[in-house]
Structure formats: structure tokens, C-alpha cells
Amino acid sequence: MMRDGATALASGQSETTIEVTLPGRSYPIVIGEGLIASAGRRIATALPGARCAVVSDENVAALYLPPLKASLELHGIFLGKAVVAPGEASKSFPVLATLCETLLELSVERGDCVIAFGGGVVGDLAGFAASILRRGVRVVQMPTSLLAQVDSSVGGKTGIDTRQGKNLIGSFHQPSLVVADTSLLSTLSPREFRAGYAEVVKYGLLGDAPFFAWLEQNWTEVFSAAGGGRRRAVETSVRAKAAIVEADEREETGRRALLNLGHTFGHALEAFAGYSDRLLHGEAIAIGMRLAFAFSVELGLCPAGDAARVERYLAAVGLPVKIAAIPGSQPTPGELLRLMAQDKKVKGSRLALVLVRGIGAAFVEHDVPLPRLTEFITRECATR
Ligand SMILES: NC(=O)c1ccc[n+]([C@@H]2O[C@H](COP(=O)([O-])OP(=O)(O)OC[C@H]3O[C@@H](n4cnc5c(N)ncnc54)[C@H](O)[C@@H]3O)[C@@H](O)[C@H]2O)c1
């Protein structure tokens, strides 16, 4: 038996595999504890003959690169590493250019693969680099943040930000394999964990009311990692994401667009805050989801009780729910509306928004009444 197999057995942990089935591009998502040690074997089996360049950020590399490198070396497939600065600012053209050149210097060939080893920033950046390097090399996603494990590592959206907005340059590039080692989540800061948790809550709010109710009862178990709550939350989220991606890989039928619940508001707030520590992505999404519910109530689409329940819950887990929660200067309504209009959910002069008919019942409204939205945003910007 290989050493990595023994490690998995010794830890006594089972693993779960969820398949994403797409024509010619199907791949497994493996979820479990202590999976880094077996990464080399898994990749060597899934991608025979491929050598691997690991892309990571400084925080994750310092904590976890040595065991991943050892596992890849055990199978003779480690080509080298490229480590970027942590944070959203690394999803940029300059960092992408340097990364692509580093990967070429590591002699990544067409048959090789890039391992995106980090949070959503590394996943989006390394996935995009892989999609354009030598006209496309394969990528293995090894997500290390909660947000990346439940969302960004699955589904093949990759990209970078520009000053015009977030994720406006990118590609669809499905991974060949996703390995989510849930034991790595123990070193995430509480703030990062909570921000990622906003995306877990999103799956309940957009289409799975019983999951939301379960989260309301069990969130402390998910946060503390005691018992199986955390693993169940990750698996349920990944199953939901996989099903949506299978149904609408390229966001053509509207199903995948539901994953943008809270995102048009949230992306505008993130852009306003300069993609900085002032407001993390998941925090912006929490405020955005609250706004989506409140606006839906205002349009007579959603019971007020559902919106109040969502707001109470997000606040109870410690997520921000109001625009005023952003520290420092506040956006004007005009600024927010301009930033919302730049988000890619704009078709012609019409703004599409994901709205709700209640908890677990999101839908895409393609023709949002702009005067009502302006009124709403103006009031929200003035609410303390
Ligand atoms: N492609 C998609 O479908 C998709 C979906 C949702 C979000 N996203 C993108 O994901 C990004 C946000 O991802 P994120 O929240 O993971 O941010 P991130 O990648 O910046 O990671 C958050 C922080 O946690 C650190 N970190 C990561 N794993 C760690 C670990 N195990 N232990 C200790 N520290 C760790 C990172 O170094 C970083 O400082 C955004 O750019 C967003 O646009 C993409």
C-alpha cells in the first residue's frame, strides 16, 4: 500500500466523491479530511503522465505547500511552484502575466497540469492562467478556504478583475479534478470562515429551504467543526453547485444565474470598497442577499417575514447586513447604481437581478424597474 493510502486509513476518515457530469468534461470532487497526503496519487491516477505546477498564495504555501510537494514528489510529478500575494488584488493582469511566464519557465507543457492550491483568488487566477497557457492546460482545483470548497472550485468559472469591475476578464475552464481537504479549514481566520459561510447560506436561500432551516439549527456545529456538521454543510453546498453547473454550465438558461443571488449588490459594494479588507467577498454577498430579500419584499414578491428571518440569521452568525456596516466612507446611491450597472448581469439598458419569492425560491428578474431600484438604494444608503 502507498504511504498516502496508509495516512488516509490511519486518520479513520471517510471521503465523499461527487461527480460533475458534463459532455466530455466530467470530473470528480473529492471531499474529506487529510486529503493532501494522497493528492499525488489521485492526480497521477486521474491524469496519467501529467506533471504539476502548484500555484498558491503566501499564506497557504507557508502552511501547506510542504506536504503537498512531498505527495507530488512521491509520484515524481512535481514541476515547481508559483506563489502570489494573498488577496483579491492578485486577480489582476500584472499578476496573471507574471504567473503565466513563471509557469512557462517551469516548463509546463500541454499534457501537464496546474494545481490551484488556495482560496477563490488562487482558484480563479490559476484556473484562468491554465486556460490560456499554451492554449489551455488542465487544472486541478485544491480549494483551501470555505468559500472555495463550497463554491469557486466547482463549475469552471475563472478570471481576473479590472478597474471596470470584478471577473470581467475570464474563461470557462472546468477542472479535471477537485480535491477539497476539509481539515485545512481549521487554520482559516474566523472572519474568513464566516465570509465563506455566506455562500453556504446562499444555497439554502436560493433553492433549498430545508437546508436553510438546518443551518439555522446547526450553524454553531458547522463553525466549530465538532461532529459532522461542517462536512455536511460543505457536501450539501457542493451537490447544489454541481447540479446547477450540470444543468446550465455556461449560464445560458438562467439556472446558473441563481448562484448570483446577492451578487450584483455585493459586487458593487466590493468595487466601492476597493476589493480590500474593508469588505470581504462573502461579507459583500451577505449584505447583497439581505438587500435582494428586502427589495423583493418592496416589489411585493416576497413575504416580509422571510426577509426578516434572513436578516436576523445573517446578523446572528456575525455577518454584515447593512451598507452602513462597511467601515470608513459610505457609497452614494449614484455610485452604487453605476457600479451595479457595470456588473455583467446587464443586458442592453436592462438590469437583471436575482430576486426571491421567499426562502429557497430565487428567480431571475430580467427587467428590474429602475426607478424602484433607485428609490430602494437611496433609502438603504441612508439607513444606519
Ligand atoms: N469562480 C467562481 O465560481 C467563484 C465563485 C465565488 C467566488 N469566487 C471568487 O473567490 C474569491 C474569494 O475567495 P476566498 O474568499 O477564498 O478569498 P481568498 O482566496 O483571498 O482567501 C481568503 C484568505 O484566506 C487565506 N486562506 C485560504 N485558505 C486558507 C487556509 N486553509 N488557512 C489559512 N488561510 C487560508 C488566503 O491566503 C486569503 O488571505 C473572489 O475573488 C471571488 O470573486 C469565484
Side-chain angles (χ1 to χ4, degrees):
M1 183 182 287
M2 304 288 302
R3 208 172 68 201
D4 50 29
T7 308
L9 280 183
S11 75
Q13 296 291 335
S14 63
E15 61 187 53
T16 303
T17 300
I18 296 167
E19 233 6 79
V20 179
T21 308
L22 294 166
R25 299 179 296 288
S26 298
Y27 54 93
I29 301 157
V30 190
I31 301 166
E33 300 246 313
L35 299 183
I36 287 193
S38 59
R41 170 179 58 77
R42 290 171 197 280
I43 295 169
T45 308
L47 307 176
R51 300 165 309 156
C52 309
V54 180
V55 180
S56 193
D57 75 17
E58 285 155 9
N59 296 337
V60 175
L63 286 165
Y64 300 115
L65 191 56
L68 176 59
K69 180 170 179 257
S71 171
L72 297 171
E73 281 176 344
L74 187 65
H75 293 267
I77 56 173
F78 180 68
L79 265 181
K81 62 173 191 221
V83 178
V84 301
E88 189 71 28
S90 284
K91 278 176 60 176
S92 70
F93 270 122
V95 176
L96 175 73
T98 308
L99 173 59
C100 287
E101 290 190 347
T102 305
L103 293 172
L104 291 174
E105 274 156 22
L106 292 174
S107 37
V108 176
E109 304 289 346
R110 277 301 288 282
D112 293 332
C113 87
V114 168
I115 300 179
F117 186 47
V121 165
V122 164
D124 282 8
L125 173 72
F128 187 38
S131 78
I132 55 176
L133 195 80
R134 297 188 188 279
R135 299 197 174 82
V137 301
R138 289 169 297 185
V139 64
V140 170
Q141 292 281 352
M142 291 192 62
T144 63
S145 69
L146 179 61
L147 181 139
Q149 294 197 350
V150 300
D151 193 348
S152 59
S153 62
V154 177
K157 277 194 182 177
T158 77
I160 57 170
D161 309 329
T162 63
R163 69 192 157 74
Q164 288 78 12
K166 220 170 129 65
N167 301 329
L168 295 179
I169 305 289
S171 63
F172 284 95
H173 190 52
Q174 296 293 345
S176 301
L177 170 70
V178 181
V179 180
D181 183 339
T182 48
S183 60
L184 310 190
L185 302 179
S186 62
T187 49
L188 268 183
S189 72
R191 185 180 174 198
E192 290 289 359
F193 188 90
R194 202 179 296 120
Y197 187 73
E199 303 276 11
V200 174
V201 175
K202 180 184 78 176
Y203 292 108
L205 295 182
L206 75 85
D208 189 346
F211 182 48
F212 179 73
W214 183 82
L215 291 172
E216 283 182 307
Q217 296 303 315
N218 296 282
W219 67 272
T220 48
E221 195 184 310
V222 178
F223 274 60
S224 74
R230 177 173 294 184
R231 178 82 172 265
R232 177 164 167 188
V234 171
E235 288 182 14
T236 306
S237 302
V238 168
R239 278 186 216 286
K241 173 100 189 229
I244 289 175
V245 169
E246 284 176 353
D248 182 17
E249 183 187 6
R250 289 182 167 249
E251 210 165 307
E252 288 160 343
T253 67
R255 180 90 193 274
R256 187 162 182 169
L258 298 181
L259 292 169
N260 294 325
L261 176 62
H263 280 57
T264 300
F265 292 112
H267 282 169
L269 295 170
E270 263 188 293
F272 167 76
Y275 304 117
S276 68
D277 274 3
R278 274 175 76 195
L279 188 69
L280 301 180
H281 175 72
E283 293 170 340
I285 298 316
I287 300 174
M289 291 191 298
R290 208 274 296 161
L291 292 174
F293 269 79
F295 188 47
S296 301
V297 171
E298 194 148 311
L299 295 178
L301 297 164
C302 170
D306 280 21
R309 187 173 153 202
V310 170
E311 175 166 351
R312 255 196 324 272
Y313 179 64
L314 292 172
V317 304
L319 282 162
V321 288
K322 293 203 168 107
I323 295 172
I326 303 171
S329 62
Q330 291 290 303
T332 63
E335 263 173 308
L336 265 196
L337 287 160
R338 184 179 54 75
L339 289 166
M340 284 178 74
Q342 262 172 13
D343 201 59
K344 58 192 181 306
K345 287 108 212 163
V346 177
K347 285 211 172 91
S349 61
R350 291 169 164 205
L351 179 67
L353 267 186
V354 182
L355 296 178
V356 288
R357 296 199 171 85
I359 289 169
F363 69 100
V364 182
E365 170 56 63
H366 289 281
D367 204 359
V368 172
L370 288 178
R372 299 290 298 273
L373 182 64
T374 306
E375 255 174 54
F376 173 73
I377 290 289
T378 304
R379 213 169 336 103
E380 284 292 335
C381 282
T383 305
R384 292 283 166 266

